[in-house]
């Protein structure tokens, strides 16, 4: 049965299903209990599953992830909430040096079936540290997988798939899109669901391939609608999985369109766009009519809220890049 | 001492108190650290403290209102914590240095700093943009606990510069919350300060909550007792008592400036309002709890004391209210007049020596913006 849910509510329901499906699943983080998290993603879960499974932790991110490592060794499946992107860094050492390497270090004897949920990205008018896009740090780290959802349907399914996976997964939630609504098949069987580590064409097109993930998928789709009015059909691909990347659909698309624009909020320097451009150039060199262009945040710290509209990629900047791929 | 559950237990905590909630003056009291605390204020000084408390609360209320009206992006109210902030803030000497969190508007005011200074941050105009050394007041720090290490390092610098050991010595005060006490950074700061005998006072405002989490989620012992494990004294003070907050902080700062090392002060207080304007405390605490703290209001007791001791009459209270009203109106007008930043400033100050990457992005951005000139955008 399809229900209209927001991304936030879909995540909430997905977490509820995950808690029901496996008694080893735990939720831990700051304010995730009574408050239900500052974005209410865990709303009502402590009430229904108890304080033993939905745990308000002390205010220490390294502690959240470090103890989750121990709980995972003990056989639990911790789902850790980091309150905002900019507060994951106290846990960075635990994530990069422990979570990511445990399986390799133990030659497969220890798994880290952990999900690290991070509301990420800007556009909410917040103060410093509340609008960052740290995906490249994690995608650069072997041993971690990184995904991002962009729709309520994906939010609902992907969070359950991530919890069920034995890989440690950084799960990036597009916080400014939490309140966007869409249809969710709430009764669908996970077994038949679209795979977690697969990209997907969000809108077919013929003229330019636009790659996006998380909050920028909506932006890319808006740009595609605007371009269509001007007679250009953009094919928007929602990457969904940032590490590992699933690029076959991307290569197939770029070979058809000959043009590609990558959009992300994170700065460009050594970002995901750079990796995408390199891989596309390697695989689609003879099909390309123009270099792969990037529309990204600038290589500055995230600015004060009254400047974020200028900082963030928007419809106009995507269309500008699309134009430039034709000007080559 | 509260037995059993530790901090946050049901029974009233033992702490240094010099003014009861009813406005009765306690002459002197010995803290858990064995130090005898008292204050010796003139009538003028009592009136000054009252004035600070009232103005600070009024300015805070104005900022909350500005946020409600969309003029600030967010506001972190200090309501209920005025005494801890005014008491400790007034205890600082000119040469001392403060490292605030994002809630220390009262300390800022007592440092003689224009209260408009942090509002650009909350309005989303900048990230702080003031010179910590000029004001002897670091920028607000939002990442919980980080500033306690900065404060400790700064204090280590004071020692290196030979600026400790007498009445003119310098001392540092690091503010943080009860939630922050769980952070690795804060515990490392305690270790550094202890090992290097740094001239620092760790001032923890235990306002009973870290957003929705009550103090029991952070500790099993009263926070001030943590100090002994790190090797320096800890003391709990009634954070709703401006006199005791002043006395304890003054003594700890003097201890530090004389080269005798760090102190942890736990100011036992209560966050009367929401965590910030985005928070909804009705989801996690009872109205009755808030009411019980209302009876311990930090301002009412000073007013009662001043009235009872005939330190001032009704005229004075009216005058102070009028002053607070004027200051808050002035603040409002200046917030409304604050210009939005020029978009090109996004690219300023990333590095002292600049970067060709930023230069080219700035230029690209400027050209892109120019392309809209005269168009429908
Ligand atoms: C490292 C980090 N994690 C999480 C947050 C989000 N956050 C902001 S304030 C806060 C609670 C702080 O509580 P406390 O230290 O008691 O200070 P208070 O706000 O009560 O004054 C949290 C979790 C943050 N700012 N920094």
């Amino acid at each position: 049965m399809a229900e209209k849910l927001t991304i936030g509510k879909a995540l909430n329901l997905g977490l509820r299903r995950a808690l029901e499906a496996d008694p080893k699943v735990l939720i831990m983080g700051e304010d995730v209990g009574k408050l239900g998290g500052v974005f209410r993603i865990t709303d009502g879960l402590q009430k229904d599953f108890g304080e033993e499974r939905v745990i308000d932790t002390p205010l220490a991110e390294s502690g959240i992830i470090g103890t989750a490592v121990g709980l995972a060794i003990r056989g639990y499946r911790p789902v850790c909430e980091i309150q905002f992107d900019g507060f994951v860094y106290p846990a960075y050492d635990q994530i990069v040096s422990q979570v990511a390497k445990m399986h390799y270090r133990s030659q497969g004897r220890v798994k880290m079936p952990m999900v690290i949920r991070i509301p990420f990205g800007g556009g909410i008018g917040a103060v410093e540290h509340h609008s960052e896009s740290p995906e490249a740090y994690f995608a650069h780290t072997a041993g971690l997988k990184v995904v991002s959802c962009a729709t309520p349907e994906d939010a609902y399914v992907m969070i359950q798939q991530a919890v069920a996976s034995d890989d440690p997964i950084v799960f990036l939630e597009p916080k400014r899109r939490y309140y966007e609504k869409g249809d969710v098949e709430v009764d669908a069987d996970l077994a038949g669901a679209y795979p977690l580590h697969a990209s997907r064409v969000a809108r077919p097109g013929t003229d330019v391939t636009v790659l996006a993930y998380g909050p920028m998928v909506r932006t890319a789709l808006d740009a595609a609608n605007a371009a269509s009015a001007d007679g250009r059909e953009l094919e928007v691909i929602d990457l969904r999985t940032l590490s590992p990347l699933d690029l076959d659909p991307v290569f197939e698309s770029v070979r058809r369109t000959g043009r590609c624009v990558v959009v992300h909020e994170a700065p460009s320097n050594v970002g995901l766009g750079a990796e995408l451009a390199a891989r596309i150039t390697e695989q689609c060199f003879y099909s390309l009519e123009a270099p792969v262009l990037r529309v990204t945040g600038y290589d500055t710290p995230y600015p004060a809220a009254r400047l974020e509209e200028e900082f963030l990629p928007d419809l106009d900047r995507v269309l500008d890049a699309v134009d430039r791929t034709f000007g080559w | 001492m509260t037995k059993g559950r530790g901090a946050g237990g049901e029974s009233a905590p033992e702490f240094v108190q010099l003014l009861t909630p009813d406005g009765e003056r306690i002459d002197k009291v010995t803290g858990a650290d064995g130090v005898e605390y008292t204050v010796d204020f003139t009538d003028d000084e009592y009136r000054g403290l009252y004035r600070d408390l009232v103005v600070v609360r009024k300015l805070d209320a104005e900022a909350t209102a500005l946020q409600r009206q969309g003029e600030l992006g967010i506001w972190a109210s200090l309501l209920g914590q005025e005494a801890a902030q005014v008491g400790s803030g007034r205890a600082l000497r000119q040469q001392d240095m403060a490292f605030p969190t994002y809630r220390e508007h009262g300390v800022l005011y007592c440092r003689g700093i224009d209260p408009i200074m942090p509002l650009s941050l909350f309005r989303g105009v900048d990230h702080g943009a003031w010179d910590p050394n000029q004001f002897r007041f670091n920028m607000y720090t939002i990442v919980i606990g980080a500033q306690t290490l900065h404060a400790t390092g700064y204090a280590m610098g004071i020692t290196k510069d030979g600026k400790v050991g007498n009445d003119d010595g310098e001392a540092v005060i690091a503010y943080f919350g009860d939630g922050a006490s769980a952070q690795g950074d804060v515990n490392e700061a305690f270790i550094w300060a202890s090992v290097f005998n740094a001239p620092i006072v760790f001032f923890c405002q235990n306002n009973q909550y870290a957003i929705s989490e009550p103090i029991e989620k952070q500790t099993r012992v009263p926070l001030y007792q943590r100090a002994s494990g790190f090797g320096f004294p800890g003391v709990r003070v009634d954070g709703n008592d401006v006199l005791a907050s002043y006395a304890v902080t003054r003594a700890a700062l003097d201890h530090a400036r004389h080269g005798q090392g760090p102190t942890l002060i736990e100011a036992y207080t209560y966050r009367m309002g929401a965590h910030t304007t985005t928070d909804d405390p009705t989801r996690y605490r009872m109205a009755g709890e808030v009411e019980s703290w209302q009876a311990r209001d930090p301002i009412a007791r000073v007013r009662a004391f001043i009235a009872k001791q005939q330190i001032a009459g009704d005229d004075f209270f009216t005058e102070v209210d009028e002053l607070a009203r004027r200051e808050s109106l002035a603040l409002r007008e200046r917030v409304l007049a604050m210009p939005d930043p020029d978009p090109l400033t996004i690219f300023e100050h990333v590095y002292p020596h600049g970067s060709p990457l930023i230069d080219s992005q700035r230029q690209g951005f400027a050209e892109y913006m120019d392309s809209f000139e005269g168009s429908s955008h």
Side-chain angles (χ1 to χ4, degrees):
Chain A
M1 196 192 66
E3 272 185 46
K4 270 244 181 302
L5 297 178
T6 62
I7 289 183
K9 194 69 198 148
L11 287 166
N12 176 267
L13 197 58
L15 288 168
R16 176 175 290 277
R17 293 275 186 273
L19 284 160
E20 283 164 357
D22 185 345
K24 293 294 187 189
V25 171
L26 305 175
I27 288 180
M28 28 198 306
E30 295 155 9
D31 305 289
V32 298
K34 249 188 198 168
L35 187 65
V38 295
F39 292 107
R40 308 292 185 262
I41 305 302
T42 56
D43 192 23
L45 298 180
Q46 188 181 67
K47 189 167 131 288
D48 294 341
F49 295 92
E51 292 187 29
E52 291 294 315
R53 295 192 65 199
V54 180
I55 305 165
D56 270 334
T57 67
L59 204 180
E61 289 76 11
S62 182
I64 295 171
I65 304 299
T67 57
V69 167
L71 284 158
I73 294 173
R74 182 72 192 178
Y76 285 91
R77 306 181 77 83
V79 181
C80 301
E81 173 171 304
I82 299 293
Q83 202 160 78
F84 282 90
D85 34 60
F87 306 137
V88 70
Y89 307 117
Y92 192 64
D93 169 60
Q94 287 290 343
I95 296 173
V96 171
S97 299
Q98 305 303 331
V99 175
K101 295 183 171 67
M102 207 50 98
H103 194 252
Y104 195 72
R105 185 183 301 148
S106 69
Q107 298 196 337
R109 291 173 181 87
V110 179
K111 296 188 178 64
M112 285 289 122
M114 191 191 296
V115 177
I116 301 170
R117 294 182 37 242
I118 311 177
F120 85 122
I124 63 162
V127 293
E128 204 182 357
H129 318 293
H130 292 72
S131 306
E132 304 194 354
S133 297
E135 57 269 28
Y137 301 135
F138 300 113
H140 195 65
T141 300
L144 297 177
K145 291 191 175 172
V146 185
V147 302
S148 182
C149 56
T151 66
E153 174 72 24
D154 272 355
Y156 177 69
V157 173
M158 288 171 75
I159 190 65
Q160 293 181 72
Q161 291 170 321
V163 177
S165 168
D166 281 345
D167 296 325
I169 296 179
V170 175
F171 193 95
L172 298 167
E173 302 173 359
K175 72 167 88 81
R176 76 155 121 160
R177 311 290 187 204
Y178 271 148
Y179 305 100
E180 291 193 2
K181 278 194 176 164
D183 281 336
V184 178
E185 284 297 333
V186 290
D187 299 325
D189 192 353
L190 265 198
Y194 196 78
L196 179 61
H197 295 291
S199 55
R200 178 154 62 190
V201 175
R203 180 192 196 281
T206 47
D207 300 331
V208 183
T209 304
V210 180
L211 306 180
Y213 53 90
M216 286 292 103
V217 173
R218 164 68 27 224
T219 306
L221 289 170
D222 290 346
N225 286 339
S228 184
D230 288 342
R232 262 186 204 148
E233 295 305 327
L234 311 188
E235 177 148 300
V236 177
I237 298 183
D238 176 358
L239 290 174
R240 297 171 85 255
T241 176
L242 310 185
S243 181
L245 287 162
D246 172 37
L247 295 185
D248 283 344
V250 173
F251 298 150
E252 189 278 320
S253 173
V254 174
R255 286 190 191 110
R256 268 190 289 111
T257 61
R259 294 178 166 83
C260 183
V261 172
V262 186
V263 190
H264 56 63
E265 290 188 18
S268 65
N269 196 34
V270 204
L272 264 163
E275 177 65 21
L276 289 161
R279 301 266 290 271
I280 292 163
T281 307
E282 283 163 13
Q283 296 296 320
C284 310
F285 189 68
Y286 291 107
S287 312
L288 283 170
E289 304 286 344
V292 178
L293 295 185
R294 287 171 288 174
V295 182
T296 69
Y298 298 106
D299 286 288
T300 70
Y302 198 88
R306 286 186 183 240
L307 294 169
E308 72 179 338
E309 250 181 65
E310 276 80 18
F311 178 88
L312 288 169
D314 62 4
L315 182 148
D316 287 325
R317 279 176 61 195
V318 175
L319 292 181
D320 176 66
V322 165
D323 281 348
R324 282 187 286 131
T325 66
F326 283 95
W328 228 272
Chain B
M1 198 55 268
T2 319
K3 288 270 158 29
R5 293 171 66 221
E10 286 303 301
S11 52
E14 184 184 288
F15 45 35
V16 176
Q17 188 183 67
L18 295 172
L19 190 63
T20 70
D22 299 329
E24 296 300 332
R25 183 73 171 76
I26 297 162
D27 185 35
K28 49 180 64 124
V29 63
T30 303
D33 52 352
V35 179
E36 189 180 86
Y37 294 105
T38 188
V39 288
D40 182 21
F41 286 126
T42 63
D43 286 358
D44 226 23
E45 287 167 328
Y46 281 125
R47 286 189 291 263
L49 288 172
Y50 177 80
R51 195 179 297 120
D52 287 344
L53 290 166
V54 171
V55 171
V56 158
R57 177 172 289 185
K58 181 72 179 171
L59 292 174
D60 185 77
E62 192 63 50
T64 299
L66 283 163
Q67 195 282 335
R68 295 280 177 244
Q69 293 152 8
E71 297 297 340
L72 299 179
I74 192 171
W75 181 246
S77 167
L78 57 58
L79 187 65
Q81 300 176 220
E82 295 88 352
Q85 295 201 13
V86 169
S88 63
R90 283 291 171 208
L92 289 163
R93 295 189 198 270
Q94 180 59 34
Q95 71 269 27
D96 295 339
M97 177 75 176
F99 284 77
T101 70
Y102 40 78
R103 208 186 288 285
E104 267 66 75
H105 327 304
V107 181
L108 178 145
Y109 182 81
C110 291
R111 290 251 77 187
I113 300 168
D114 187 339
I116 194 76
M117 193 166 80
L119 289 188
S120 51
L121 183 164
F122 291 99
R123 191 167 160 88
V125 169
D126 57 43
H127 290 319
W130 68 79
D131 177 358
N133 283 314
Q134 181 189 342
F135 297 99
R136 316 220 111 243
F137 189 85
N138 191 46
M139 281 180 289
Y140 280 0
T141 299
I142 292 170
V143 176
I144 298 297
Q147 77 283 359
T148 58
L149 280 168
H150 311 157
T152 303
Y154 188 97
M156 289 162 64
I158 291 174
T159 308
K160 284 192 187 307
D161 292 344
K163 294 290 170 63
V164 284
N166 56 45
D167 284 350
D168 298 329
E170 295 178 33
V172 176
I173 189 164
Y175 288 90
F176 61 105
D178 43 286
S181 72
Q183 281 287 7
D185 276 7
V186 173
N187 288 273
E188 290 175 25
F190 290 171
I191 291 169
W192 253 252
S194 171
V195 165
F196 294 97
N197 201 41
I200 184 167
V201 175
F202 293 106
F203 194 93
C204 178
Q205 285 168 84
N206 175 1
N207 65 8
Q208 313 300 328
Y209 285 94
I211 310 187
S212 72
E213 296 196 14
I215 180 71
E216 293 84 358
K217 298 286 178 193
Q218 318 289 345
T219 185
R220 291 285 292 267
V221 299
L223 288 174
Y224 78 92
Q225 289 181 6
R226 294 247 180 104
S228 74
F230 290 95
F232 51 87
V235 57
R236 180 184 267 179
V237 63
D238 179 353
N240 284 16
D241 173 355
V242 70
L243 305 184
S245 295
Y246 176 93
V248 167
T249 311
R250 190 28 88 92
L253 287 166
D254 286 345
H255 184 80
R257 85 177 76 260
H258 281 98
Q260 291 167 300
T263 301
L264 170 61
I265 297 172
E266 177 190 358
Y268 200 83
T269 180
Y270 193 77
R271 196 195 74 209
M272 293 300 291
H275 168 71
T276 65
T277 43
T278 60
D279 178 39
D280 174 11
T282 62
R283 288 181 74 102
Y284 54 82
R285 69 183 189 190
M286 299 292 177
E289 182 185 301
V290 180
E291 269 163 37
S292 84
W293 277 91
Q294 215 121 40
R296 290 175 253 181
D297 184 73
I299 302 185
R301 69 179 77 183
V302 181
R303 186 179 172 128
F305 168 72
I306 286 177
K308 247 182 284 194
Q309 298 298 314
Q310 300 184 341
I311 291 169
D314 284 347
D315 289 0
F316 168 72
F317 296 123
T318 317
E319 232 170 75
V320 170
D321 288 345
E322 184 49 34
L323 169 76
R325 203 186 59 82
R326 277 200 312 273
E327 290 209 17
S328 68
L329 273 182
L331 187 75
R332 155 171 297 265
E333 278 164 17
R334 292 162 73 200
V335 167
L336 299 186
M338 219 179 257
D340 276 350
D342 177 344
L344 278 167
T345 59
I346 290 173
F347 304 94
E348 300 299 319
H349 308 299
V350 182
Y351 306 96
H353 298 302
S355 140
L357 177 65
I358 306 287
D359 291 345
S360 74
Q361 289 184 359
R362 182 198 291 110
Q363 194 186 338
F365 177 81
E367 286 165 10
Y368 173 73
M369 294 308 275
D370 286 347
S371 73
F372 292 115
E373 295 279 281
S375 81
S376 60
H377 283 277

